[in-house]
Amino acid sequence: MKAFDFVAARDARHAVALLAERTPTAKVKVLAGGTDLLADLKFAPTAHAPDVVIDISRATELKHISMTDEGLRIGALVTHTEIMASPIIRELFPALVDAAHTIGAVQTRNLGTLGGNLVTAVPSVDSGPTLVALDARVTLLGSGGQRQMPLAEFFVGPRKTALKADELLTEILIPKESVGKPTHFLKFGLRKGQALALVNVAASTWVDWDKQTFVAPRVALGAVAPKVIHATSAETFLEGRAITPDAMAEAGRLAVGDAKPISDFRASADYRRDLIAVLTRRALEAAFELARRRKS
Amino acid sequence: MTKVTLTVNGEARSASVPPEMTLLRLLREEFNLTGSKLGCDVGDCGACTVLVDGKAVNSCLMLAGQADGRDVVTIEGLATMERLHPIQKAFEEKGSLQCGFCGPGVIMSAKALLDENPDPSEEEIRDALAGNLCRCTGYTKMIEAIQAAARVEDARPTAKSA
Amino acid sequence: MDKKSAVVETGTATERARSVEEMLRAPAAAPLAPLPLEVLVPEAKQQTPAVRQRVTRPDGRLHGLGQTKYIDDFYMPGMLYAKVKRAGIASARIISIDTKEAEAMPGVVAVITGRDVPCNSFGPSLKDQPVLADTRVFYSGDGVAAVAAVTEQIATEALEKIKVEYEPLTPVLDPLLSLQLETPGVHAPNPNVYWHKVIKKGDVERGFAESYRVFEGTFRTQMVEHVPLEPHSSLATWDANGRVTIYSTLGRITLGRADLSRTLGIPMSRIRIIATVVGGNFGGKNEITTEPIVALLAKKTGRPVKCTFTRPEEFTSSTTRHPLIMEYKTGVSKQGKLLARQIRLVLDGGAYCSWSETTLGKACILSAGPYEIENLHAEAFVVYTNKTMTGAMRGFGAPQVCFAYESHMDDIAKALGIDPLEIRLMNTLKEGSLSPTSQVLHSVVVADTLKQAAERFGWNGNGSKS
């Protein structure tokens, strides 16, 4: 890689101060786990190389996983391995564990962070759909202070987020209304590991057991649009509807219309549409199954 | 230049290196530990796998500076002058390696697995090796060797390697 | 493991050798055999004693220790690192190459282009490949210049500073298009078809006329890259007497020395190539790549020079498996006996010949399949395209045609309502059968193998497994 200045930030505030200081006059990149940044830089033309790399991997205050009154707070530097091992996440959000498990391989997961995965913001981001389906919010810290926004709005387009030049993603919050919400995530890749998703689907729903209807259903799709999206037609259709196999299948068909898949060397748009319909139905079935198991 | 001080295979080592140097190149070029290999340099093949603070990582995706203060174990740190590590012995007996280039990375991933999970299922072994590509062997004998090594009781080296 | 001391002075030579072998760091080796050796020449089909013996690979020990030295593990004092600038354009005329800015970079010691190569062409059969493209670029991975620098990173950055002016030409990417005479020659004035083979046996037209049905099918296979875990690597160093030693991942030493002798313009006796354990070859390391480049850079700089491919270069600039387009026409009797077969193979021969001649020959001879066919016409062409070179890869043409003739056989079986195993057993070669090129075949076990395999995986007939 081309030479760069390397600065190790002590903590998040120090990182933000460094960003504010250097970004006006230099090309700056933030380094956490390195599994995206360093891989990108290895064969990048020197014109794209950064002048400064700010290492935030020592900001240990961003490594928390804690349940509070607001909901579940996950620090941006929590690794995918740590997500998979966390007892509270395993119990309350098994879909997050599943999603983390689909990322790369053991080595990638030991270094790669949740924050890094979200900030890189490829359309097929594997940790994105589950969190979007759970109405997650992200906290951004900048020299002007702190702000929060829905994760769905944080993603702007392919490799583009709402982060300003001097901002750092510090935390992901799953709001208390979503804590324990039955959710299921499915990824379809050409291999079981180390594969980019052709289609990602996360389905999440509460259940009105008396009426046997969907309550606050969410379907989030990845890799089939410039960013992670809500399949809003499917969600609108499911809200308050009786939970039946037909309803879930119909939701799958509607989700196809919400997506804009492309054809590339991995798969045709048609194949991806087929996948969206089937995986949405399966994710809804699994989420409902999880709901039933938890009830009993 | 960045000053890096870390523990490698039980010994304190230090070097003054350019900031953009990866842990992999630090090991290979500064410390002459060429057992870890450069197969792709982008964290896809796993030939560079080492343990950092007990966890298997792609050393090509870590900057040398990020390894400062950490505990690193490479393939050279497994055997002692008296004995092979049980995983190395099992790999030899089962004939798990052919060209051998992926070997160090696979063995390090296997070690990380057995250190945490002494009795893994075949599925767990496959998952642990998912980040290590091999073009020669088809993996079956590696899985057999790891299962055999798991059955050996004393799976940790007792003496420092030379 | 017993703790014998390193120095063993007592015992016979054999005993001393054996205890040295038992030492941990020494690689295991086969035990010494007592002399005189008994020479065993087995009969055909005779079970030899060696088969089914369990033997420990001698190299497994050092591999597992991480002590095996591959070419990129070699470092020499004063060694420089070389990188090759890749064209990035499939077909072009090179108008100019300006290396001044690269040469002026701190840390860059030398830059060479095709002009610096004494004889800028080589190849296992046709000598159509340049060491570095000089006037024409024939595929995107063609090397156009090479840099030797004190670090790999400086060498890589220096490549960006080399200015090449190209006149883009229309590339030929479709082998079927390349086959048509009207298409401008990729290597004009040489024709696009750069090798051609025909096998004729009996009379196909009469065979088709006598057939109950004639089946046709077209089958295609894709380009495949070997992806050896170890990238191509070579290291050159000259001695005081004008002899060059090259450590290389190359799998064919004498061929390499011959190619180096030709390209460097020096006698073979002055060239030494040392190949060690290779980290995967599969056919992809069967010819030289950067060896002449490192030799020239080492000569120019007076220092050892090493060049290791990046992983992307393995895909863009090393040989691959030929894609084939295979057209099959087979006439059969009502019972399913193959009476006549006509085959046309078109091999995508990439930018340079490489091992295409051998691949073509093998593919053509094997294209009929392991079946008795009285009337056969197999014709194969390999054509230039402006794509990555296609060369040797395990099978050398055999896997591709196997896909075709076996798929074709299944199609025929299905159409005739005959069990796919039965139709094969009806047609396989037997002891004493003639190959398509009239070789008398012995130790023919096709039918036995099929029957045993079918039994082992529980073939119940007509596509069902038990």
Side-chain angles (χ1 to χ4, degrees):
Chain A
M1 290 178 288
K2 190 166 185 290
F4 46 70
D5 279 349
F6 175 81
V7 189
R10 291 183 300 274
D11 54 39
R13 294 208 175 273
H14 184 208
V16 168
L18 288 167
L19 283 169
E21 184 196 321
R22 305 298 302 262
T23 53
T25 52
K27 207 178 254 159
V28 182
K29 287 284 184 191
V30 172
L31 172 67
T35 54
D36 280 335
L37 178 67
L38 296 185
D40 284 345
L41 291 183
K42 290 296 173 68
F43 297 112
T46 53
H48 298 167
D51 306 305
V52 185
V53 169
I54 298 175
D55 175 21
I56 60 166
S57 62
R58 312 272 180 176
T60 50
E61 85 275 17
L62 299 182
K63 272 203 160 294
H64 57 274
I65 301 174
S66 55
M67 187 67 82
T68 66
D69 294 331
E70 287 178 271
L72 182 73
R73 298 174 57 195
I74 308 174
L77 288 185
V78 171
T79 65
H80 304 298
T81 300
E82 285 162 351
I83 288 174
M84 287 168 66
S86 155
I88 200 169
I89 295 181
R90 290 174 72 80
E91 201 205 314
L92 294 172
F93 304 101
L96 279 180
V97 174
D98 292 342
H101 198 175
T102 67
I103 295 174
V106 169
Q107 295 94 321
T108 334
R109 298 194 284 269
N110 281 336
L111 284 177
T113 63
L114 180 60
N117 194 233
L118 297 174
V119 166
T120 302
V122 289
S124 57
V125 55
D126 293 316
S127 57
T130 309
L131 291 169
V132 166
L134 289 167
D135 296 325
R137 306 174 64 75
V138 291
T139 304
L140 312 177
L141 178 67
S143 40
Q146 204 166 258
R147 58 187 182 123
Q148 239 199 28
M149 64 170 62
L151 177 61
E153 281 169 34
F154 177 71
F155 294 131
V156 169
R159 292 182 174 265
K160 270 205 178 70
T161 68
L163 265 184
K164 297 209 191 81
D166 69 340
E167 278 183 323
L168 205 67
L169 171 71
T170 55
E171 191 180 86
I172 298 93
L173 171 77
I174 299 176
K176 64 178 188 302
E177 309 83 65
S178 299
V179 170
K181 193 171 181 184
T183 311
H184 196 74
F185 172 76
L186 289 171
K187 170 177 174 176
F188 191 96
L190 293 177
R191 285 191 305 276
K192 284 201 272 194
Q194 302 229 87
L196 207 97
L198 299 189
V199 172
N200 275 332
V201 179
S204 185
T205 186
W206 293 114
V207 175
D208 182 327
W209 293 106
D210 296 323
K211 297 195 198 132
Q212 286 281 306
T213 55
F214 292 100
V215 176
R218 301 278 185 270
V219 175
L221 304 176
V224 291
K227 54 179 203 149
V228 176
I229 55 170
H230 281 281
T232 45
S233 326
E235 290 172 344
T236 312
F237 171 78
L238 290 171
E239 178 71 73
R241 192 167 299 265
I243 301 175
T244 65
D246 283 344
M248 295 193 265
E250 180 60 19
R253 282 187 289 274
L254 288 167
V256 174
D258 294 320
K260 290 190 282 281
I262 57 165
S263 292
D264 66 8
F265 70 92
R266 287 189 185 90
S268 66
D270 270 347
Y271 186 58
R272 289 180 215 256
R273 283 186 202 103
D274 282 352
L275 287 172
I276 293 167
V278 172
L279 294 177
T280 301
R281 175 180 57 77
R282 287 188 191 167
L284 285 165
E285 285 168 0
F288 177 57
E289 182 54 36
L290 179 61
R292 283 198 316 123
R293 275 205 312 273
R294 281 190 179 159
K295 181 169 180 283
S296 56
Chain B
M1 297 293 257
T2 307
K3 180 117 201 289
V4 182
T5 304
L6 66 162
T7 309
V8 183
N9 299 329
E11 278 180 43
R13 305 290 301 259
S14 74
S16 186
V17 295
E20 67 278 6
M21 180 176 269
T22 59
L23 173 60
L24 176 64
R25 287 184 192 271
L26 175 76
L27 295 168
R28 285 177 60 79
E29 292 166 22
E30 293 293 318
F31 300 151
N32 297 319
L33 295 167
T34 57
S36 310
K37 306 298 181 198
L38 198 155
C40 71
D41 214 21
V42 289
D44 277 339
C45 74
C48 67
T49 305
V50 300
L51 304 191
V52 175
D53 293 340
K55 295 232 174 272
V57 301
N58 295 312
S59 58
C60 71
L61 290 186
M62 236 180 131
L63 291 180
Q66 290 182 301
D68 185 61
R70 302 220 187 270
D71 184 58
V72 175
V73 180
T74 71
I75 187 71
E76 291 91 345
L78 260 50
T80 66
M81 281 311 279
E82 281 77 45
R83 60 199 276 273
L84 295 170
H85 190 280
I87 299 174
Q88 290 167 319
K89 189 157 198 287
F91 268 55
E92 183 183 331
E93 284 166 4
K94 296 283 178 185
S96 308
L97 300 177
Q98 291 180 23
C99 85
F101 200 78
C102 73
V106 172
I107 292 171
M108 295 315 291
S109 287
K111 178 175 193 316
L113 172 70
L114 293 182
D115 283 351
E116 205 164 299
N117 181 356
D119 188 20
S121 66
E122 187 186 318
E123 197 55 46
E124 285 168 329
I125 295 174
R126 286 179 179 276
D127 195 64
L129 297 187
N132 293 88
L133 300 184
C134 172
R135 289 291 279 167
C136 297
T137 71
Y139 306 94
T140 28
K141 295 206 180 294
M142 292 175 176
I143 294 168
E144 284 176 30
I146 293 168
Q147 288 168 327
R151 290 190 284 273
V152 169
E153 274 168 30
D154 183 13
R156 275 174 299 125
T158 48
K160 218 175 61 164
S161 79
Chain C
M1 182 85 55
D2 101 302
K3 296 179 188 180
K4 283 207 164 60
S5 76
V7 179
V8 182
E9 279 153 5
T10 58
T12 63
T14 311
E15 283 165 9
R16 287 205 296 277
R18 203 166 286 134
S19 29
V20 169
E21 272 165 39
E22 278 165 11
M23 287 163 59
L24 185 62
R25 299 289 166 166
L32 302 170
L35 291 172
L37 292 170
E38 212 189 307
V39 180
L40 302 165
V41 181
E43 297 296 313
K45 287 196 174 184
Q46 179 192 13
Q47 183 63 59
T48 66
V51 177
R52 281 188 165 184
Q53 293 302 309
R54 191 145 168 86
V55 182
T56 308
R57 281 183 72 107
D59 51 9
R61 174 74 56 86
L62 281 194
H63 288 346
L65 285 168
Q67 293 296 333
T68 306
K69 295 282 178 271
Y70 301 85
I71 303 300
D72 195 41
D73 298 329
F74 285 88
Y75 294 86
M76 290 186 177
M79 188 179 83
L80 299 171
Y81 297 84
K83 287 288 169 200
V84 180
K85 186 171 178 72
R86 301 293 170 187
I89 182 169
S91 179
R93 209 162 273 131
I94 297 177
I95 309 295
S96 66
I97 304 180
D98 182 357
T99 61
K100 281 195 294 297
E101 211 189 321
E103 287 175 273
M105 260 183 85
V108 170
V109 184
V111 180
I112 57 168
T113 64
R115 302 265 160 89
D116 297 306
V117 184
C119 173
N120 198 13
S121 73
F122 71 92
S125 55
L126 292 180
K127 313 253 173 258
D128 58 356
Q129 189 173 349
V131 172
L132 288 169
D134 187 11
T135 53
R136 281 290 312 277
V137 163
F138 288 98
Y139 79 110
S140 170
D142 240 333
V144 296
V147 173
V150 295
T151 68
E152 267 188 286
Q153 181 56 31
I154 292 174
T156 305
E157 283 181 46
L159 297 184
E160 289 183 3
K161 297 218 169 5
I162 297 173
K163 314 257 183 307
V164 187
E165 209 192 318
Y166 294 108
E167 182 200 324
L169 300 169
T170 311
V172 179
L173 302 176
D174 180 349
L176 290 178
L177 215 62
S178 179
L179 190 60
Q180 291 162 27
L181 288 169
E182 308 86 64
T183 312
V186 172
H187 280 267
N190 297 324
N192 280 342
V193 176
Y194 65 88
W195 222 289
H196 173 235
K197 284 200 201 279
V198 184
I199 297 173
K200 282 189 236 191
K201 191 175 162 201
D203 181 348
V204 275
E205 291 310 323
R206 196 193 47 162
F208 288 138
E210 289 171 1
S211 295
Y212 165 70
R213 270 180 77 174
V214 175
F215 294 92
E216 289 188 54
T218 301
F219 306 90
R220 290 168 176 261
T221 58
Q222 79 281 37
M223 188 178 276
V224 183
E225 158 55 29
H226 314 72
V227 194
L229 255 290
E230 178 204 25
H232 288 70
S233 189
S234 61
L235 195 171
T237 176
W238 292 79
D239 71 11
N241 291 308
R243 290 186 294 238
V244 65
T245 299
I246 302 180
Y247 298 82
S248 171
T249 51
L250 178 64
R252 294 196 185 218
I253 309 304
T254 307
L255 178 69
R257 293 174 69 221
D259 278 333
L260 279 157
S261 173
R262 180 192 160 91
T263 53
L264 299 179
I266 62 176
M268 260 174 84
S269 55
R270 299 226 192 120
I271 301 167
R272 187 168 64 146
I273 295 187
I274 298 176
T276 72
V277 176
V278 74
N281 180 334
F282 319 119
K285 292 172 176 163
N286 270 12
E287 68 231 88
I288 59 170
T289 52
T290 55
E291 289 79 356
I293 293 172
V294 292
L296 287 167
L297 284 168
K299 190 156 199 236
K300 196 167 178 185
T301 61
R303 295 162 71 160
V305 176
K306 180 166 79 175
C307 184
T308 303
F309 268 26
T310 63
R311 183 55 58 181
E313 273 180 306
E314 289 293 325
F315 284 93
T316 59
S317 306
S318 76
T319 55
T320 59
R321 188 192 287 288
H322 292 73
L324 259 73
I325 299 150
M326 301 164 278
E327 290 162 12
Y328 275 67
K329 184 174 170 184
T330 305
V332 300
S333 73
K334 192 164 185 192
Q335 295 74 33
K337 189 99 184 66
L338 304 178
L339 299 177
R341 179 163 276 177
Q342 187 175 298
I343 302 161
R344 189 183 83 154
L345 307 176
V346 178
L347 279 68
D348 186 335
Y352 303 113
C353 177
S354 177
W355 290 99
S356 296
E357 188 203 342
T358 321
T359 311
L360 182 79
K362 266 207 149 190
C364 200
I365 293 169
L366 299 173
S367 63
Y371 303 112
E372 291 263 27
I373 306 173
E374 232 178 84
N375 305 297
L376 176 72
H377 187 278
E379 189 168 18
F381 304 88
V382 60
V383 292
Y384 281 123
T385 57
N386 291 105
K387 296 192 293 201
T388 303
M389 301 169 285
T390 46
M393 184 170 177
R394 309 196 84 160
F396 256 115
Q400 298 97 313
V401 295
C402 178
F403 169 68
Y405 58 67
E406 290 300 290
S407 303
H408 192 46
M409 200 63 143
D410 280 347
D411 291 343
I412 294 170
K414 191 168 184 190
L416 293 178
I418 301 175
D419 174 57
L421 176 64
E422 285 311 312
I423 199 173
R424 285 170 169 84
L425 292 174
M426 208 186 301
N427 286 289
T428 59
L429 296 166
K430 294 182 267 295
E431 183 68 31
S433 288
L434 292 180
S435 78
T437 46
S438 296
Q439 179 188 359
V440 181
L441 299 171
H442 295 298
S443 297
V444 182
V445 290
V446 188
D448 295 333
T449 312
L450 278 172
K451 283 188 220 154
Q452 280 192 40
E455 205 180 292
R456 284 200 204 178
F457 60 74
W459 180 256
N460 258 351
N462 265 314
S464 62
K465 286 201 322 227
S466 62

